[in-house]
Amino acid sequence: MILDRTTAPEIRQIEHFSIVEPERRVMRNGVPLNIIQVGDEDVVRFDLLVKGGQWNQSQPLQAMFTNRMLREGTSSLTSAQIAEKLDYYGAWLDLSSAVNYGFITLYSLSKYFPKTLEIVASMVKEPIFPEKELDVILNVNKQQFQVNARRVDVMARKRLNRALFGIQHPLGRYAELEDYDRIDREVLQKYYRTYYHSGNSSVYISGKVTPAIIRYVEQHFGEPEWGDTSLKASFKEYTPQTETGKYIFVEKEDALQSSLKMGCFSLPQQHPDYLKFRVLVTLFGGYFGSRLMSNIREEKGYTYGICAGLVNYPKTGVLGISTEAANEYIQPIITEIGKEMDRLCSEKVSEQELEMVRNYMLGDMCRSYESAFSLSDAWIFIETTGLGTDFFERSLEAIREVTADEILTLAQTYFCKENLIAVVAGKKV
């Protein structure tokens, strides 16, 4: 059979989409254990989720540095020993803190998992937050903060969130240089005692998971209670205090180009229109062939790239638009963004363009959930957002079934250029 390379292969839509669900258990001490048994490689990923992040801290940087300092020394291991042992066993460790969760993630060869998990257990259960290491890390982070604080994209992002949420809201309050000097061992220990315990954690294990590996996890994190489980995490409600101005300029005299960040409050992930609205936002600015890219990059040549997307926070969402361009193009870009929003509110999208967006989004879903570790990310996402286990199937259905008429109605309902706050960081023209 001769392959005809002059004819493009037929494009076929995904008719059904499902991802492997974790096997869910509850260990003896009450910690949920989620097991994702996928893959033939002798590699395992371990995730410990701690419910508490930026939202819960009593002062800026507290959650981040509590998490970061776990690897800097325990009752039985110094920071150097932790680093040396993990390196010797070929393991990789990631510590991160988000809005409402802290994460400890370990990638390990299966044969060394008992050794590497023992190190992680020591870090989680008996950190000592040594002052010498803390001083070093604070100084390094202060220097990095000073560098980042001069970047126009960082300046614009922080100022937009402050305009949307207000400085009293956890999402509008950013650390300043002096906040690094307020972090000490006692501040971190207080946060650790409140949030890092078996009554406030869950575990995911993915990859080639054997019964022995499950036993090691149960032995270190699931049998006796650990931490002070009598302390309860607090989750305070905050009301955004949004500024009334719609245009904010942040000057940076030596800027070679300006950063533009635009945003307004949008649908939370739990809203019944969210999944189809996400298709509209992707069409507007969420992929390389989007309206914003076609107009502002390809046709006008104002910028190398521009994007729009939905940023999801607890109980709320933000429609965000972001680009960087030469100072003299910023105002024309803002004008064109408004025009593209107006077009979507007044003109029905063609079936050809809608089909292209569908295919992009469906392909992106397939790529995102094809490995054991990406499956782990998917189910951790479900837990941390509080969405139902049918979220992925409903996402597929929304992408596949949304119509041009619905896109038009969604734009007319939820797109309003007058609601956008524009923040520009750069040099005055």
Side-chain angles (χ1 to χ4, degrees), residues 352-419:
Q352 181 182 6
E353 185 178 10
L354 183 55
E355 189 69 12
M356 185 165 59
V357 174
R358 283 198 192 100
N359 290 334
Y360 165 78
M361 295 184 73
L362 292 172
D364 191 53
M365 285 184 70
C366 290
R367 287 190 298 272
S368 298
Y369 309 125
E370 62 184 7
S371 70
F373 299 157
S374 60
L375 287 171
S376 223
D377 288 329
W379 291 110
I380 288 171
F381 164 78
I382 292 297
E383 175 172 338
T384 56
T385 55
L387 297 169
T389 57
D390 64 342
F391 175 81
F392 304 111
E393 193 66 42
R394 289 190 294 108
S395 297
L396 172 67
E397 184 179 311
I399 296 167
R400 196 174 55 222
E401 296 182 0
V402 67
T403 66
D405 286 324
E406 287 177 307
I407 292 291
L408 180 62
T409 300
L410 288 165
Q412 292 170 343
T413 305
Y414 300 115
F415 265 10
C416 180
K417 64 184 181 183
E418 286 77 18
N419 289 341

Side-chain angles (χ1 to χ4, degrees), residues 165-363:
F165 292 99
I167 59 173
Q168 300 304 317
H169 195 287
L171 301 176
R173 184 171 62 242
Y174 285 93
E176 302 295 342
L177 187 61
E178 56 267 23
D179 289 316
Y180 289 86
D181 297 324
R182 299 190 181 105
I183 293 294
D184 58 30
R185 188 166 178 262
E186 185 177 345
V187 167
L188 304 187
Q189 286 177 320
K190 181 179 180 181
Y191 189 90
Y192 169 82
R193 285 193 298 269
T194 305
Y195 295 100
Y196 284 75
H197 57 77
S198 58
N200 197 47
S201 303
S202 57
V203 169
Y204 286 75
I205 185 79
S206 55
K208 193 174 181 180
V209 183
T210 64
I213 284 173
I214 295 171
R215 284 197 301 273
Y216 294 130
V217 173
E218 291 174 335
Q219 173 187 339
H220 288 291
F221 289 95
E223 301 215 336
E225 290 186 350
W226 47 271
D228 191 346
T229 56
S230 67
L231 295 174
K232 302 299 179 184
S234 61
F235 296 90
K236 184 179 177 182
E237 295 286 341
Y238 293 88
T239 302
Q241 301 294 323
T242 307
E243 295 180 21
T244 55
K246 298 301 180 183
Y247 182 85
I248 300 167
F249 182 78
V250 182
E251 186 171 6
K252 185 175 187 291
E253 292 184 356
D254 59 346
L256 299 178
Q257 62 179 6
S258 295
S259 176
L260 169 66
K261 305 286 186 187
M262 301 178 73
C264 63
F265 287 110
S266 186
L267 302 182
Q269 290 171 302
Q270 293 77 11
H271 193 283
D273 288 340
Y274 174 83
L275 293 175
K276 290 184 177 180
F277 181 63
R278 193 171 61 169
V279 180
L280 167 62
V281 174
T282 303
L283 188 154
F284 173 56
Y287 77 119
F288 194 80
S290 69
R291 293 286 182 91
L292 293 182
M293 284 288 283
S294 298
N295 177 346
I296 295 170
R297 174 195 154 101
E298 301 299 326
E299 182 182 329
K300 302 291 192 309
Y302 289 155
T303 179
Y304 284 112
I306 182 169
C307 63
L310 294 170
V311 185
N312 302 300
Y313 297 113
K315 298 186 179 181
T316 191
V318 169
L319 170 63
I321 304 165
S322 176
T323 190
E324 290 187 22
N327 302 317
E328 62 267 26
Y329 293 139
I330 292 297
Q331 288 303 327
I333 288 173
I334 293 174
T335 299
E336 293 303 319
I337 289 170
K339 287 181 180 178
E340 291 300 335
M341 293 187 84
D342 288 342
R343 278 185 62 206
L344 286 166
C345 292
S346 60
E347 301 173 10
K348 192 185 299 187
V349 63
S350 71
E351 285 299 328
Q352 181 182 6
E353 185 178 10
L354 183 55
E355 189 69 12
M356 185 165 59
V357 174
R358 283 198 192 100
N359 290 334
Y360 165 78
M361 295 184 73
L362 292 172

Side-chain angles (χ1 to χ4, degrees), residues 112-128:
Y112 296 132
F113 186 73
K115 298 290 188 182
T116 56
L117 188 67
E118 184 178 356
I119 297 167
V120 172
S122 178
M123 289 166 39
V124 172
K125 293 181 181 181
E126 51 183 21
I128 58 173

